[in-house]
Amino acid sequence: MSAADPGPAIEIRGLVTRIGGSVIHDRLDLTVRRGEVLGLVGGSGSGKTVLLRTLIGLLRPAGGEVRLLGERLGPDTAPAGLEQRIGVLFQNGALYSSLTLTENVALALTEHARLPGEEAERLAGVMLALTGLPPAAGGRFPAELSGGMVKRAALARALVLCPELLFLDEPTAGLDPIGAAAFDRLLVTLRDALGLTVFLVTHDLDTLYAACDRVAVLAEQRVLAVGTLEEVAAVDHEWVQAYFRGPRGRAAQRAAQP
Ligand SMILES: Nc1ncnc2c1ncn2[C@@H]1O[C@H](COP(=O)(O)OP(=O)(O)OP(=O)(O)O)[C@@H](O)[C@H]1O
């Protein structure tokens, strides 16, 4: 790595994770390049969410090495300041139900950036607009909004501290196909505008085609394949072939063709 090259956004070498007595990942390697959208796919229970939770520091690895933005994750705590350089969108949005959307987004600013309330709310409004929400949505509570709007607000909160690296767990789960497609487009627009690196866990083949630069397949406790969609779809493995060459995979491929 030269002085001008900041290195990969995520570098995982020999990662071992265990939950209870079970090994979930065994000597897993993966590199996520700066500025790319990498989609992680794999069968149910293959360990996608456990990997994401390990990367954001919620689970402690049993072995191996993880570097985020060049910083080595320690056994106990994330390096100082790292948590403000990453944003996370959890599957259900994880917004506070007793706060309005604006208050939810502003909270990240008052807590982490120590902005005064009024300024934080102004900036929160800008971020909610950037994710495509109408001005009136800011004063509403999560329960008053559609799933798609809640996702957008959660994305606004994940982005409000201007992270370099964004983690998304099943961002389009629960959205109707039109809402999901709009969310995929939003993701690409924001990545281009903000220069983000995005690591997303998904089952959604349309998201892979519409939003991801590369795809990694998790199977047999490791990353079995990583590359462009075409490269990965050509891998001779039962799950890969069933996923990409099954009826849904073929439909997503057709839909993505110009
Ligand atoms: N808190 C937990 N306690 C016990 N086992 C767990 C826990 N969390 C995950 N596991 C186990 O770890 C394995 C991987 O789970 P994980 O949630 O990462 O799978 P996944 O690939 O995200 O699945 P899905 O696509 O269904 O969401 C599974 O066997 C799961 O049962």
Side-chain angles (χ1 to χ4, degrees), residues 29-116:
D29 296 330
L30 179 64
T31 300
V32 181
R33 302 168 184 157
R34 297 231 184 199
E36 76 173 338
V37 180
L38 182 118
L40 181 70
V41 297
S44 213
S46 58
K48 302 181 294 297
T49 298
V50 169
L51 180 58
L52 185 144
R53 292 171 69 83
T54 304
L55 294 178
I56 63 177
L58 293 179
L59 294 172
R60 194 187 299 180
E65 190 175 299
V66 175
R67 282 181 186 273
L68 292 190
L69 303 169
E71 307 275 359
R72 187 167 190 261
L73 289 194
D76 297 318
T77 51
L82 187 61
E83 68 182 33
Q84 291 183 32
R85 298 173 66 198
I86 67 175
V88 184
L89 174 61
F90 291 102
Q91 203 176 125
N92 57 7
L95 296 176
Y96 291 107
S97 58
S98 60
L99 300 181
T100 64
L101 297 197
T102 300
E103 288 165 349
N104 262 288
V105 179
L107 188 63
L109 290 164
T110 47
E111 272 189 350
H112 295 290
R114 301 195 187 287
L115 278 191

Side-chain angles (χ1 to χ4, degrees), residues 173-186:
L175 300 186
D176 66 73
I178 295 169
F183 198 91
D184 290 339
R185 283 195 301 275
L186 172 66

Side-chain angles (χ1 to χ4, degrees), residues 191-249:
R191 186 280 302 269
D192 292 345
L194 306 175
L196 292 167
T197 304
V198 181
F199 177 96
L200 72 89
V201 168
T202 190
H203 284 289
D204 189 335
L205 278 149
D206 292 322
T207 299
L208 296 185
Y209 280 98
C212 295
D213 300 305
R214 293 195 307 150
V215 176
V217 177
L218 193 54
E220 297 161 20
Q221 302 174 323
R222 64 197 172 89
V223 173
L224 188 104
V226 61
T228 62
L229 260 166
E230 292 70 26
E231 288 164 353
V232 168
V235 169
D236 184 16
H237 181 275
E238 196 183 345
W239 187 87
V240 173
Q241 288 307 307
Y243 183 71
F244 287 101
R245 305 286 183 215
R248 282 168 180 262

Side-chain angles (χ1 to χ4, degrees), residues 1-8 34:
M1 188 184 8
S2 73
D5 178 4
R34 297 231 184 199

